[in-house]
Amino acid sequence: MSSNDQLAVPQEDLAQAWRQTLSERLSNGDKADVQGDEKHSDTLLVHIQTAGRQMLEFDFSVKYVDSREIDIQLSDVEKDGQSVDERTDVMQELIADYRRHLHETAQALHDFTHA
């Protein structure tokens, strides 16, 4: 990776852009909160709450590898405030769907992040 391909956007500006763009990509009723990771300036913490009665919450860490590529890590899945097994087929489908939305958000912000 060349040094001129590193992310050069201030973290709070990036988090704000992600909040707006991600909310446009989620299903109706789903909610997302995006915050900067205080320990890593190239990482965002994304919290997604599902719509409806499922009351599921997903926590992801989105790290910019460079100005275009992201690495997504799932850190937690909860239902009614209790951790759940994310290895079930249903959970894996939901996680894959949200990961896709995260990648779509990063792609939509490519012009913003790639100077």
Side-chain angles (χ1 to χ4, degrees):
M1 163 175 53
S2 65
S3 61
N4 60 351
D5 195 29
Q6 293 181 1
L7 184 66
V9 177
Q11 188 181 51
E12 185 50 43
D13 294 347
L14 184 61
Q16 178 60 37
W18 265 78
R19 279 190 284 275
Q20 179 178 348
T21 307
L22 180 57
S23 68
E24 296 167 357
R25 280 158 176 70
L26 293 176
S27 301
N28 284 339
D30 285 358
K31 297 179 183 169
D33 182 43
V34 180
Q35 300 296 321
D37 183 336
E38 293 179 10
K39 294 180 183 177
H40 306 284
S41 63
D42 60 354
T43 303
L44 299 173
L45 304 175
V46 179
H47 179 81
I48 299 173
Q49 292 177 302
T50 61
R53 289 188 244 162
Q54 294 178 349
M55 298 185 71
L56 291 168
E57 299 181 26
F58 298 83
D59 290 319
F60 294 94
S61 172
V62 177
K63 176 183 172 68
Y64 272 83
V65 177
D66 59 31
S67 66
R68 294 180 247 194
E69 183 182 347
I70 60 171
D71 177 54
I72 302 170
Q73 297 296 320
L74 175 70
S75 56
D76 192 27
V77 179
E78 292 185 354
K79 180 174 182 161
D80 273 337
Q82 300 292 322
S83 289
V84 297
D85 183 0
E86 69 267 8
R87 296 173 293 184
T88 67
D89 289 343
V90 171
M91 284 297 160
Q92 286 298 307
E93 264 184 50
L94 285 169
I95 291 166
D97 192 43
Y98 287 124
R99 288 176 61 87
R100 180 176 49 80
H101 292 311
L102 296 172
H103 278 289
E104 289 171 354
T105 299
Q107 288 174 346
L109 292 172
H110 181 260
D111 288 341
F112 183 69
T113 60
H114 186 67

